[in-house]
Amino acid sequence: MLDTSMIWVPDLSMYNSRQEMELNREVGPVMIRSSGKAYTLFALEMTGHCRPNWANWPYDIHKCTISLGSKRYLGSTVNFKFYFEKGLYMDFILPDKEWELIATNSSRNETRFGPDNDTDAEFMVTLDYDFTLRRHASVYVASYLIPGVVMMILSLGLLWIPSDKVERTAILCTLIIMQSLFLQYLAYKIPTNGDTTPYLVCFYRDCLCLTGLLIVETLVTRSMASWASNPPYLQLIFQFIAGNRVLQFLLISDIDPKNAAKLMEAGNDEGSSLVTTDQTQQWRLLIDIVNRSMFFLLVPVYLLLSVSLLPLNVSFSIH
């Protein structure tokens, strides 16, 4: 066994490190065999470069690369090669509590200086190691993804509660506060050095806007319940709905049967008007129709948000 100060050690550097790193300084004692080959082992921590892509967080997958080579000598002087066939020895890898190693790749590359057909041209050798990492997402799914889906379903269910109920307004205000807090915490939790906006952030952002729309709709319809006027367009709306079987089934099937009967009568009698002694009942009937319409309008919108913005779990196999 010889100390590295007694023999020549080729420089081995990491090209894509944030800090200057010469790995040959970390080399331990060197063993020289009778064949003239020298062997050494060294253990060190290297920080490679990853191309971040947080779009599918918390199911995000990152590819990290470590490039090794010589900064002083060309390939004709120092020709690095893999000792193992695949370039990596994975038997002693330790699992990480946050990341899972799902794929590895190693390659030896030569960069020639001069024409490609010139066999005598100088070349530089680099050893590139690629590591594909996937985040362990079970905790984040339970903490961020599932609550977002529950709040989405709750927002739809509130449309079946009358607008004049205090519970509806209180729950909507609670939802908008919770969604704002989730957005703030996601902005703190997810790194911002990626060039894409995470789908989960966009999902909470759009759900926050829709919840705000529901609050406005609730306040407007609550004020409509006390209106006593009888504008002409009100009768036209009732007659149009009563004349369409699909709209009758979707919008008035669960409404008070007395009001529904009056609505049907108005639609079946051409040129007639909806006669009632209490004008506010017409507005309450319209409020119920607006709430049903909002429900059937928001169902496909929320489904579209879920399909396009909720992150998906992409499976990989290690090789």
Side-chain angles (χ1 to χ4, degrees):
M1 302 292 291
L2 297 176
D3 188 81
T4 55
S5 61
M6 302 177 62
I7 63 173
W8 176 80
V9 178
D11 73 301
L12 181 63
S13 302
M14 184 174 175
Y15 289 149
N16 59 338
S17 175
R18 292 183 177 179
Q19 298 178 350
E20 185 70 19
M21 180 181 295
E22 294 186 4
L23 306 183
N24 54 296
R25 297 179 180 178
E26 307 294 335
V27 175
V30 179
M31 180 179 64
I32 301 179
R33 292 188 175 180
S34 58
S35 60
K37 293 184 178 180
Y39 298 87
T40 185
L41 294 175
F42 59 96
L44 71 160
E45 181 178 339
M46 293 182 290
T47 303
H49 174 72
C50 298
R51 295 186 292 272
N53 184 7
W54 311 103
N56 208 39
W57 192 94
Y59 294 116
D60 47 327
I61 296 176
H62 304 276
K63 186 176 181 181
C64 304
T65 302
I66 293 178
S67 297
L68 305 179
S70 174
K71 292 184 177 180
R72 301 177 184 175
Y73 304 102
L74 296 175
S76 58
T77 304
V78 177
N79 191 1
F80 291 107
K81 295 182 179 180
F82 292 129
Y83 182 78
F84 300 101
E85 181 180 358
K86 295 183 178 180
L88 290 169
Y89 188 71
M90 306 295 295
D91 290 354
F92 297 109
I93 186 172
L94 298 176
D96 186 77
K97 63 181 180 180
E98 185 175 1
W99 296 98
E100 175 188 3
L101 181 63
I102 59 176
T104 60
N105 183 50
S106 57
S107 61
R108 178 184 178 276
N109 301 306
E110 294 184 0
T111 304
R112 294 191 173 272
F113 304 100
D116 295 336
N117 57 358
D118 186 3
T119 58
D120 296 329
E122 292 288 351
F123 61 94
M124 182 178 64
V125 177
T126 57
L127 303 179
D128 296 325
Y129 298 88
D130 296 325
F131 302 91
T132 304
L133 306 174
R134 177 174 56 194
R135 188 189 305 273
H136 293 297
S138 57
V139 174
Y140 300 108
V141 170
S143 302
Y144 302 102
L145 194 59
I146 300 302
V149 175
V150 172
M151 286 187 281
M152 176 186 66
I153 297 175
L154 185 59
S155 299
L156 289 173
L158 290 176
L159 288 170
W160 295 88
I161 299 178
S163 301
D164 57 349
K165 296 294 184 180
V166 180
E167 294 84 353
R168 173 170 169 174
T169 305
I171 295 176
L172 282 174
C173 292
T174 303
L175 284 178
I176 203 167
I177 293 174
M178 291 181 62
Q179 289 168 349
S180 300
L181 291 176
F182 268 93
L183 272 177
Q184 293 295 323
Y185 193 72
L186 285 174
Y188 165 78
K189 187 68 178 178
I190 303 176
T192 57
N193 62 332
D195 57 356
T196 55
T197 303
Y199 295 141
L200 191 59
V201 174
C202 296
F203 175 78
Y204 273 102
R205 176 202 63 193
D206 295 345
C207 287
L208 179 64
C209 295
L210 292 176
T211 304
L213 177 63
L214 287 176
I215 291 179
V216 173
E217 185 267 345
T218 300
L219 295 177
V220 172
T221 51
R222 284 189 66 177
S223 64
M224 289 170 57
S226 59
W227 293 357
S229 60
N230 186 19
Y233 63 82
L234 203 60
Q235 299 296 330
L236 296 177
I237 295 174
F238 291 155
Q239 292 176 12
F240 175 75
I241 296 175
N244 190 299
R245 295 294 182 182
V246 176
L247 294 180
Q248 289 179 31
F249 175 76
L250 295 177
L251 301 180
I252 65 174
S253 59
D254 294 329
I255 296 178
D256 184 7
K258 294 182 180 180
N259 292 335
K262 293 178 182 179
L263 179 59
M264 294 291 294
E265 180 182 355
N268 293 330
D269 186 9
E270 295 183 1
S272 64
S273 61
L274 189 61
V275 179
T276 177
T277 56
D278 187 2
Q279 300 294 340
T280 60
Q281 288 298 109
Q282 299 182 30
W283 289 106
R284 292 183 182 274
L285 185 59
L286 181 62
I287 291 171
D288 291 335
I289 293 174
V290 170
N291 285 330
R292 301 296 186 273
S293 302
M294 286 290 293
F295 176 81
F296 291 111
L297 176 65
L298 290 181
V299 165
V301 173
Y302 276 122
L303 287 177
L304 181 62
L305 289 180
S306 301
V307 172
S308 60
L309 294 182
L310 285 182
L312 301 176
N313 187 9
V314 182
S315 60
F316 254 81
S317 60
I318 186 170
H319 61 276

